[in-house]
Amino acid sequence: MSHLGLQLLYSILNAQPDVLAERFYTPFADMELLMRKQRIPLFSLESHRAAAEFDLLGFTLQYELSYSNVLNMLSLADIPLKAADRTARDPLILAGGPCSCNPEPLADFCDAFVIGDGEEVFPQLVRVYHEWKMSGAGKQELLKTLCSLPGVYAPSLYKAHYEPSGRFAAITPQIPEAPESIQRLVVADLDAVAYFQEPIVPYLKPVHDRLTLEIMRGCGQGCRFCQGRVHLPALTRTFSGTTFAACNHLISQEWVR
């Protein structure tokens, strides 16, 4: 649980009275073999509920080599890999994180991408899903509404164009509701965004057994090899905001009493 983005969304979603957010991870190779042999579907860490029973499944794309893990987890959960093969009875498959800025490699497999910072749009997305589920409308209606949210890209509502060499060229919307371009979401002020008050504490001693704080998001150095370039302009939390978050974490995790 060293990834702060997952902790932020986990806290934001579970703070809502009608939302339950749980965690899934890719099992190691020996565990995967055993699960497939025993026909045990992918399940959540908290309640051991099957992944296919959840309404939404969200994947964080931190680096390109994890793309195969996304497909492997869907396979373990017995969920159709391609979005076109899934129905309204299947979970809605979402993806976000740094690599969502280049979503086309996984466009056939995800129903929607959240491009950029997700803290402010994710509660809206969950609310839209809830209203759609209560309405009984088709999945296409859900995607039409989702694409109206800032930073949300629904690939099935667009047509991808490629150059003769196979290089990706552009996308064009296929319905009037889909915007021609998707604006990456950027939080304007780190101190204005609710920071999680109670970090998830593991049962076992983790590798990074220390208090973790987000003091800045992005980096102004602009090194080509680093994901810090994805979030520009770089944001810095104020000293008072950092101190307040640190004190809350120290108390909630019982580092101090």
Side-chain angles (χ1 to χ4, degrees), residues 59-137:
F59 294 90
T60 177
L61 307 177
Q62 293 296 310
Y63 48 92
E64 290 81 359
L65 292 178
S66 67
Y67 290 178
S68 58
N69 282 356
V70 174
L71 303 184
N72 195 34
M73 291 174 76
L74 291 177
S75 173
L76 276 172
D78 199 24
I79 297 171
L81 298 186
K82 289 197 171 184
D85 297 331
R86 294 193 292 267
T87 68
R89 294 189 297 272
D90 295 307
L92 189 74
I93 306 302
L94 308 171
C99 291
S100 66
C101 292
N102 178 27
E104 289 310 308
L106 286 176
D108 289 340
F109 308 102
C110 295
D111 295 301
F113 293 84
V114 176
I115 301 175
D117 298 329
E119 295 103 315
E120 296 172 332
V121 76
F122 242 94
Q124 300 177 50
L125 190 152
V126 171
R127 189 160 52 250
V128 166
Y129 182 91
H130 177 74
E131 293 173 355
W132 165 79
K133 191 172 183 179
M134 294 298 101
S135 71

Side-chain angles (χ1 to χ4, degrees), residues 33 37-38 86 109 135 148 176 244 247 253:
L33 289 174
K37 182 178 179 180
Q38 299 294 332
R86 294 193 292 267
F109 308 102
S135 71
S148 67
F244 180 76
C247 290
Q253 294 183 69

